[in-house]
Amino acid sequence: MTDPVVEVVGVYDADGGVLGELAYVVGHALGRAECALCDVTHGGLRRRPAWDALARSLPVPVRLVHRNELSDAERRAVADSGLPAVLGACADGTHTVLVAPDRLAAARGSVDAVGEAIRTALAEASTR
């Protein structure tokens, strides 16, 4: 039996910090950088209210991090799946991939689609 998921962690395929975020914005504008999770959580330069509403509606807290802000456990969790991804942090300190990069890309920026994927993965994780 897997320990329960106690936190959802969205991991951007972009670096954090002023320079990292500026590099992403410029790279995105030039077609050189893409992050499907960024497309879900942000519209332009601001966070989407629909994303914030989704995060509030989930049964566990939600945290968003950039690839250069990952803990060792989070880094191990995305080593196979790639980025961006949505992880579930379990009570025992392990992490599981809730929404893989291909599923995020297929959502095409839809908060509703990613929300459904997260809810489904959380429900499945709770029955293991």
Side-chain angles (χ1 to χ4, degrees), residues 1-5 90-92 94 122-128:
M1 175 104 178
T2 304
D3 275 7
V5 172
C90 299
D92 66 359
T94 62
L122 287 172
E124 289 173 1
S126 71
T127 60
R128 285 187 218 148

Side-chain angles (χ1 to χ4, degrees), residues 25-115:
V25 169
V26 171
H28 188 71
L30 296 174
R32 296 181 186 156
E34 183 61 40
C35 173
L37 182 59
C38 296
D39 296 342
V40 172
T41 63
H42 286 75
L45 297 176
R46 295 180 185 237
R47 204 144 86 195
R48 291 181 177 195
W51 170 261
D52 290 334
L54 166 65
R56 285 190 304 272
S57 76
L58 293 175
V60 295
V62 176
R63 180 170 51 95
L64 298 169
V65 297
H66 298 88
R67 64 181 170 219
N68 65 327
E69 300 165 337
L70 294 172
S71 70
D72 289 340
E74 292 162 346
R75 194 172 288 105
R76 284 190 299 273
V78 298
D80 291 330
S81 72
L83 292 175
V86 178
L87 305 176
C90 299
D92 66 359
T94 62
H95 291 75
T96 185
V97 176
L98 299 176
V99 187
D102 58 341
R103 185 88 185 261
L104 284 169
R108 298 184 171 281
S110 169
V111 174
D112 290 338
V114 172

